[in-house]
Amino acid sequence: MSIIYLDNNATTQTAPEVLEAMRPFLSELYGNPSSMHTFGGQIHRKIEDARSQVAGLINADPSEIVFTSCGTESDNTALMSALEINTRKKHIITTRVEHPAVLNFCHHLGRKGFRITYLPVGSKGELDPDLILKSVDDETALVSIMYANNETGVIFPIDEITRILADRGIMFHTDAVQAVGKIPVNVQETMIDMLSLSGHKIHAPKGIGALYVRKGTRFHPFIIGGHQEHGRRAGTENVASVIGLGKAAELALRNLDEERTTVSRLRDRLEQGLLAACPDASVNGDTQNRLPNTANISFEYIEGEAILLRLDEHGICASSGSACSSGSLEPSHVLRAMGIPYTAVHGSIRFSLSRYTTAAEVDRVIDIMPGIVKELRELSPFGRDRLTCPKQE
Ligand code: PLP
């Protein structure tokens, strides 16, 4: 059975061109880029080429790119750096809907005595930038707000936020892991101090990421050891993956228009097809302002896990905002923060497309889904007539 992969916000397939670019660095080109010899120097130059490719995707200068092991490391590094260089300031502002890479690190910092403000979002997952203005004070070291949400795809007003923070001496970090490669991100136009990105969301392999650090931004490394990455991230480089990330960034830049037209058209076709064919289904998140590849749909009165299992039987991969399938014990903190009713959170499915998604795949999902929904509603103890909803928080 062939796979219909609609879980690209979880991870993406490695692009064939990326794999091809990486291959020599997993075999004959194995030198250490820090070595003095010509063999090592050759690898070093390739890493610098990859740095330029990654910089190109966000319009940064190559010197502003630090390679890391993943988006999570980039996020943790940005938060720690802001606190290390500003030891008198103990306050961080973030949102309730961040990825755990930021959210759980903030919980950790909260337990260590830092003060964390978690900004709420509206019912469409939108963020009111004025809340930031109301929350900053003399102790604020950092504002960390994601560029786009991984579950709903909702895009936050990063431009406006940076204008609000201008000249206040507060560091601004954005987790752009889901945004980069899907929508234009331009660090020349927006005063972002630090930005996280991750390879495996843009058709590079897992285990490689980058942190953009604006020139002139004071920085403290998270991983300390050797002098790699100009002392900003110790550890011998994951050379093949760095090369892969560079190639993936080059391809993402080239495909940005396609992402915004072809992919969003397919996403809309999927969404409209499902809403038309399945009663009691609704879209979560601001449909006017979201990533082109993401659709988060609630099928009320049924469990997301059950839907995923049925989809899986047809070789269709997606994600759910309900408890177990998201790998946590709690239903989606994002949908809960948006005040989505319990019955809808539990039946929420995230479909996330990529430039490899085809119209035939989308149409197959539209064909299959109504039968699954109907069958599960008939079976479910949450069936419409017997439904009892726990009180909302
Ligand atoms: N931030 C966001 C918004 C994400 O979606 C993810 C991954 O899902 C991460 C951070 C973590 O990235 P990585 O898996 O590379 O650690």
Side-chain angles (χ1 to χ4, degrees), residues 73-365:
E73 186 192 320
S74 300
D75 286 342
N76 282 210
T77 303
L79 269 62
M80 269 323 283
S81 173
L83 297 174
E84 291 269 13
I85 59 154
N86 235 328
T87 47
R88 276 174 312 157
K89 293 189 172 184
K90 304 280 183 203
H91 179 221
I92 293 180
I93 299 172
T94 187
T95 76
R96 289 186 193 166
V97 297
E98 298 296 312
H99 186 273
V102 168
L103 210 50
N104 285 344
F105 200 65
C106 283
H107 296 337
H108 166 74
L109 292 169
R111 287 190 293 273
K112 295 241 171 234
F114 290 91
R115 189 160 52 91
I116 318 286
T117 300
Y118 298 98
L119 299 176
V121 294
S123 61
K124 290 181 169 177
E126 78 283 11
L127 180 69
D128 175 1
D130 285 344
L131 291 177
I132 293 161
L133 200 54
K134 289 181 190 143
S135 306
V136 291
D137 58 36
D138 291 345
E139 274 221 311
T140 310
L142 175 77
V143 174
S144 178
I145 293 184
M146 69 197 326
Y147 212 114
N149 188 269
N150 44 301
E151 292 192 28
T152 59
V154 171
I155 300 167
F156 282 160
I158 298 301
D159 226 16
E160 215 174 321
I161 293 167
T162 56
R163 270 185 264 120
I164 286 171
L165 291 174
D167 305 325
R168 286 176 191 269
I170 299 171
M171 201 80 85
F172 179 69
H173 163 251
T174 183
D175 174 346
V177 162
Q178 293 292 346
V180 165
K182 293 175 188 154
I183 53 173
V185 173
N186 186 335
V187 293
Q188 299 295 331
E189 286 175 358
T190 307
M191 270 306 289
I192 295 164
D193 296 308
M194 290 182 281
L195 174 149
S196 304
L197 62 93
S198 174
H200 73 110
K201 312 293 184 179
I202 61 166
H203 305 289
K206 295 155 192 65
I208 184 71
L211 181 66
Y212 157 81
V213 183
R214 178 176 292 278
K215 243 183 236 171
T217 300
R218 288 168 64 211
F219 181 78
H220 194 277
F222 189 51
I223 296 188
I224 296 170
H227 57 271
Q228 291 89 354
E229 298 296 289
H230 296 283
R232 294 176 296 182
R233 200 277 187 183
T236 302
E237 296 86 344
N238 179 354
V239 177
S241 294
V242 165
I243 304 302
L245 178 57
K247 187 68 189 174
E250 182 196 301
L251 294 171
L253 187 60
R254 202 184 302 155
N255 286 300
L256 210 47
D257 281 343
E258 183 185 345
E259 187 84 34
R260 286 151 73 204
T261 51
T262 317
V263 176
S264 76
R265 223 175 283 139
L266 280 178
R267 185 272 314 273
D268 293 346
R269 176 175 173 148
L270 174 69
E271 199 168 80
Q272 284 153 19
L274 292 178
L275 293 184
C278 305
D280 294 318
S282 55
V283 175
N284 297 313
D286 182 356
T287 54
Q288 298 305 307
N289 190 30
R290 67 183 162 155
L291 297 174
N293 77 321
T294 308
N296 189 311
I297 305 179
S298 280
F299 301 90
E300 289 218 42
Y301 315 118
I302 41 180
E303 287 289 332
E305 283 94 343
I307 300 173
L308 288 186
L309 286 174
R310 290 291 198 284
L311 287 173
D312 195 47
E313 287 165 9
H314 294 276
I316 299 166
C317 307
S319 278
S320 155
S322 58
C324 307
S325 56
S326 55
S328 83
L329 296 173
E330 293 292 316
S332 159
H333 66 287
V334 175
L335 301 185
R336 281 165 63 232
M338 290 160 64
I340 307 284
Y342 172 87
T343 49
V345 172
H346 277 271
S348 69
I349 299 290
R350 178 188 70 188
F351 299 99
S352 45
L353 286 63
S354 81
R355 62 176 184 267
Y356 296 104
T357 307
T358 65
E361 290 175 330
V362 163
D363 290 346
R364 175 126 177 88
V365 178

